[in-house]
Amino acid sequence: MAKVIPEPHKWWQRRIPLVEEKRCKTFLHGLSGEYKDEGGLTANPYIGCAHRCCYCYATYEWVPEFYDKIVVKQNAPQVLEAQLRMWKGKYIEPVFLASATDSYQPQEGRSRITRKCVEVLQKYNVPYYIFTKSGTILRDLELHAAYKDKCMLFWSISTIDDSLKKIIEPNVTPTRSLLKVINKFSERGVQTAVNIIPIIPGLTDDRIKLDALIKESAEAGARYFTAGVLRLRGDIWSRMKMLLESIGRYDAARLMQAFYYSKPITEQGYYYAPKSYREEIIQFVETKVKEHGARFGIPISDSPDLDSPQCSDFVLHPKEKFEEASLLSFVQ
Ligand code: SF4
């Protein structure tokens, strides 16, 4: 029987997602799952994400609806405000927007839920940090710039190669456009960082392109960098394998199969690339980041001394508190 090759891109180039509005009972949560030990707080304005990254592991297993239906937590700003008003703790951790979706995905352009939540966080003097792959955040430049000492913005960028990016993350803002956005925030004094993730063996790990990404990001004003190598789960691998074969990248599919499954390194249901590979590539990134005058790692906070629930003295990124991230913290 002839081998059935899936139509190129078919499974992730489906329709514009349905949008559903929902009311939530609570909004601010302690970080759970893999982030649990970090002990911070998170809030997700949306369920689902239209970016359609092929490696997405925001769900615990493959849920196609995650791409196809975006649930808008319509009353999130009001619930957040109620939670902050009733906050009983001695201090409050920075809030991570958002751990299980991209809070600046396309729907934010219409719903503005993230913006309204940020306004509430600012009203209560709560520090926050945002990871996004989107340029939509630019419309909130003034908002974040006015709060620059208590927020930090991260852009997760997998590659500078926009033709490849269009395949693996079809609805994500092109990298060169993101660099212009980073530049605008950096010029306004907002702390900006680039998270080079995921580095995909055989696909996005070309050293020349990685170096170019770091160089251009640093030139755009990104001061901090982090990085991580792709980890796989069974459902993620089957999606990625289908994708790679559909674009004729059998070489990358074979390499990844060998890397992740010939001598499996597993933890909590995920498969990891060989440690020597992870160490080598992260070391490469760290070296290049320093060569381009930026810092590898993220600033740390000093929140335990705070004595007010509003964190009025909180500085999310005091220079003197910066800790160089150890290589091991990025090599799981
Ligand atoms: S941006 Fe994040 S949450 Fe959205 S599809 Fe990509 S990996 Fe998943």
Side-chain angles (χ1 to χ4, degrees), residues 138-153:
L138 186 58
R139 67 183 60 194
D140 289 346
L141 173 64
E142 296 303 327
L143 181 70
H144 297 300
Y147 203 68
K148 61 185 168 58
D149 292 330
K150 292 186 181 178
C151 69
M152 186 161 184
L153 307 181

Side-chain angles (χ1 to χ4, degrees), residues 164-179:
L164 174 60
K165 187 164 164 159
K166 189 78 191 151
I167 295 166
I168 61 177
E169 306 162 347
N171 292 336
V172 167
T173 305
T175 294
R176 292 240 158 63
S177 302
L178 286 182
L179 296 179

Side-chain angles (χ1 to χ4, degrees), residues 49-53 55-58 66-67 100-102 133 172:
C49 182
H51 281 159
R52 295 182 178 269
C53 307
Y55 50 76
C56 180
Y57 48 80
F66 186 76
Y67 293 159
T101 185
D102 190 322
K133 298 180 181 180
V172 167

Side-chain angles (χ1 to χ4, degrees), residues 115 118-119 121-123 125-128 137-153 184-191 314 317:
R115 181 186 172 90
V118 166
E119 286 169 345
L121 292 172
Q122 294 189 358
K123 178 178 169 186
N125 241 339
V126 178
Y128 59 86
I137 194 170
L138 186 58
R139 67 183 60 194
D140 289 346
L141 173 64
E142 296 303 327
L143 181 70
H144 297 300
Y147 203 68
K148 61 185 168 58
D149 292 330
K150 292 186 181 178
C151 69
M152 186 161 184
L153 307 181
K184 289 202 162 48
F185 279 96
S186 301
E187 283 182 342
R188 295 296 302 276
V190 179
Q191 298 286 328
F314 190 90
H317 41 78

Side-chain angles (χ1 to χ4, degrees), residues 24-30 41-44 73 75-89 91-92 95 97 117 120-121 124 126 309-310:
C24 57
K25 289 184 180 154
T26 58
F27 185 58
L28 203 54
H29 299 276
L41 294 165
T42 188
N44 290 282
K73 296 183 186 174
N75 62 337
Q78 293 76 27
V79 175
L80 175 62
E81 175 143 20
Q83 286 187 273
L84 291 176
R85 209 183 297 123
M86 313 254 305
W87 191 262
K88 297 266 195 315
Y91 62 89
I92 191 163
V95 172
L97 282 171
C117 290
V120 173
L121 292 172
Y124 285 82
V126 178
Q310 281 81 33

